Structure formats: structure tokens, C-alpha cells
Amino acid sequence: MNTSVFVLGGARSGKSMFAEGLARDGGGILHYIATGRAWDDEMRTRIATHRDRRGSAWVTHEAPLELEEAIANIDNSNNTVLIDCLTLWVTNLMMEERDIEASFAGLIERIQKARARLVFVSNEVGLGIVPENAMAREFRDHAGRLHQQVAAAVGDVYFVAAGLPLKMKG
């Protein structure tokens, strides 16, 4: 039985806080894989806010690109691993001109092999207007494809809006 979870929602929807609660409820050693990069002061503030909210109970790992490897390194049945967030990972892959489809395939394979409980967080970006530029449309399309693949691979999927989780799968 796949115990991995996918939490999806809009910006400031409460998805990270909800996912942190799911991870804590899962027991074991708590690991946090951060995919974000502190490019500017605003992002540094966001990262600090998340870190402060989690507290010292979490072991933090930074993996802006090598997400599959970071998960593999701590894939143990005693661990619960929160990965926040997949859309930042997609951004990093695009900016570094990585092979997106190969990276997605590697992540899905890792999910299917996982012994640890994995809790993924991502931003739903496909509910708004069509972006005006090609790169933003490409990003939206990559994120949408990744979300479909992750949702198919995990046991539970939640959508969070206004701090309220809606269970969509599991």
C-alpha cells in the first residue's frame, strides 16, 4: 500500500501547514526537503517563515535540482519526508535547462519504490488565466503534467483552499 501523499493548492492556501501536520501525524523521524532557492529577500523571508514554523524537530535537506537523489538518501521506513514544493523544483529544472521528462520519470520511480512516507506539496497553477508568455505557459504545462503523474503514483491526494483540505483520492 502506498502511504505517500500529495497536497495541492493555490498560493497561501494553507497547503504547507496542512502537509506539515500530515507528516507529523505519520510518525518517525521528520525530514524536510526544500526545493526553493533564496534568490532574493522575499524568498529568504518565506524560507525563514517555513523553517520557524516547523521548529527543530525536522531534519532539513536542500535539493533544488536533485530531488530523486535527496529522497533516495533518506528513504527509510522510519522516516517521514515532506517535500516542499514541486513547482519550485520545476522552476529550477527549467532554469537549469534540465531534462524535464527524465527528471519527472525518476521522481515517479522513486515514489513507487519508497519505503519512507513521502508528503509532497505543490502549487496548482492551472486554474487561472492562460499566461501571456511562452515560458510561463511551458511552466504551467510542465507543472500540470507532473501533478497528474504524482497524483497517480501516491495513495492520497488533497486539495487545500482557504485552509480547508478536500480529500480527492485515497
Side-chain angles (χ1 to χ4, degrees):
M1 182 172 105
N2 190 321
T3 62
S4 295
V5 180
F6 185 28
V7 178
L8 197 57
R12 295 291 182 255
S13 63
K15 64 190 174 297
S16 290
M17 194 175 314
F18 176 71
E20 290 164 13
L22 288 175
R24 279 191 297 276
D25 292 346
I29 300 168
L30 296 171
H31 291 266
Y32 182 90
I33 298 179
T35 62
R37 290 176 162 168
W39 295 109
D40 56 26
D41 287 340
E42 182 215 357
M43 193 60 177
R44 280 187 279 281
T45 299
R46 286 177 184 254
I47 290 169
T49 299
H50 277 242
R51 185 176 295 129
D52 291 346
R53 186 179 64 230
R54 284 192 315 274
S56 62
W58 297 76
V59 179
T60 300
H61 312 267
E62 294 187 14
L65 293 166
E66 305 301 334
L67 183 54
E68 178 190 351
E69 182 180 327
I71 295 169
N73 288 338
I74 54 177
D75 189 11
N76 177 306
S77 61
N78 294 325
N79 292 337
T80 296
V81 182
L82 175 60
I83 300 95
D84 198 352
C85 89
L86 292 178
T87 44
L88 288 174
W89 181 59
V90 171
T91 299
N92 296 335
L93 293 174
M94 289 179 68
M95 298 304 287
E96 297 291 329
E97 299 182 358
R98 296 288 184 100
D99 184 335
I100 301 281
E101 297 310 316
S103 297
F104 289 4
L107 177 62
I108 299 307
E109 184 177 335
R110 174 55 44 203
I111 292 169
Q112 293 167 339
K113 293 179 181 177
R115 294 171 305 203
R117 182 166 192 247
L118 306 176
V119 180
F120 292 92
V121 176
S122 198
N123 293 291
E124 177 52 66
V125 296
L127 295 174
I129 62 172
V130 175
E132 70 176 23
N133 67 71
M135 185 176 187
R137 287 189 300 274
E138 181 183 13
F139 167 77
R140 180 212 48 204
D141 293 349
H142 285 315
R145 283 191 292 277
L146 176 61
H147 292 164
Q148 289 179 56
Q149 292 174 40
V150 171
V154 301
D156 293 330
V157 177
Y158 292 88
F159 186 82
V160 179
L164 301 171
L166 170 65
K167 192 166 194 179
M168 300 175 71
K169 177 184 174 184

